[in-house]
Amino acid sequence: MGGPGRDPGLRVSPRADRIPRPGALRETSAVARLLHVFIHHEIQAAELCGWAILAFPETPLEFREGLFSIMLDEVRHAAVYSARVEALGASYGQHAVRDWFWERTLACESPLQYVALMGLGFEGGNLEHAHRFDRLLRDAGDTVSADLVARVGREEVAHVHFAARWFTEWSGSAPESGPDFERWAAELPAPLTPAVLRGRPLDRVRRGKAGLSEAFLDRLEGSGTTSSPSDR
Ligand SMILES: [Fe+2]
Ligand SMILES: [Fe+2]
């Protein structure tokens, strides 16, 4: 199965997204540019739920129904970011986008790898990124955008929880302790490693609510830093 269909007017770049510097976020145009990146993250998250429903038809119906419901959340997230970008005088498609989640996720060969990468990896890391950008936007004086990022971040906890539940079941991890760290790291498609799938400081509270154990979080926190393939 190939990559996503794209509007011919949308410029897709192989380069990493340009995230504005924190000091630049006092400029409306820089906030719009940041949220433009987030819109495309949400669109890819929605698309990849759809991709996984089609790629893994042998999975339980409950899993695919869960993906469908998450897909609708991601569409809604893209829509609220898009509305905010328009309120800031810009629009989706104005900047080039990168299909980084697609590039990595197409390497997943099993539903176990998919929940390891998408739910526990990208969406898990987003729990930390949401805090960071909430704070940066608030410090820059844009409380409306900060509140939006915070709200979306809170809603992602359930998505990570969904992935943790299915990862535990399919990997044979002990139900009472949730995903096993070693097993999770082993299921990530190369070259991704745990260290590029978390932010600092680790959001232990939200990750705990999402079903990750203290032992898992200790290992994640201690995992070595490597150079990230993206500048996220
Ligand atoms: Fe989302
Ligand atoms: Fe999500």
Side-chain angles (χ1 to χ4, degrees), residues 74 123 156 159:
E74 310 299 14
E123 296 191 286
E156 297 294 344
H159 300 178

Side-chain angles (χ1 to χ4, degrees), residues 42 73-74 77 152 156 159:
E42 300 290 348
D73 284 347
E74 310 299 14
H77 293 167
V152 169
E156 297 294 344
H159 300 178

Side-chain angles (χ1 to χ4, degrees), residues 47-68:
E47 290 170 334
L48 286 161
C49 286
W51 172 81
I53 289 170
L54 297 174
F56 307 119
E58 73 285 4
T59 49
L61 182 60
E62 188 190 353
F63 173 71
R64 284 172 287 139
E65 284 177 342
L67 283 179
F68 190 81

Side-chain angles (χ1 to χ4, degrees), residues 3-121:
R6 289 278 176 249
D7 184 301
L10 192 68
R11 282 170 297 138
V12 180
S13 162
R15 291 196 316 274
D17 296 318
R18 275 178 49 198
I19 302 279
R21 290 179 189 287
L25 290 175
R26 293 199 173 273
E27 300 289 332
T28 303
S29 61
V31 173
R33 182 163 195 128
L34 177 68
L35 299 184
H36 190 281
V37 172
F38 293 172
I39 296 172
H40 198 65
H41 285 172
E42 300 290 348
I43 287 174
Q44 289 178 83
E47 290 170 334
L48 286 161
C49 286
W51 172 81
I53 289 170
L54 297 174
F56 307 119
E58 73 285 4
T59 49
L61 182 60
E62 188 190 353
F63 173 71
R64 284 172 287 139
E65 284 177 342
L67 283 179
F68 190 81
S69 146
I70 291 173
M71 181 169 72
L72 298 182
D73 284 347
E74 310 299 14
V75 168
R76 190 165 41 77
H77 293 167
V80 294
Y81 280 140
S82 184
R84 180 62 187 153
V85 163
E86 287 183 12
L88 294 170
S91 63
Y92 176 67
Q94 185 173 344
H95 303 292
V97 296
R98 184 179 182 193
D99 282 329
W100 195 72
F101 294 161
W102 269 99
E103 289 165 22
R104 293 294 175 225
T105 308
L106 280 178
C108 293
E109 291 175 348
S110 67
L112 180 63
Q113 279 194 329
Y114 173 80
V115 293
L117 178 61
M118 191 63 189
L120 292 179

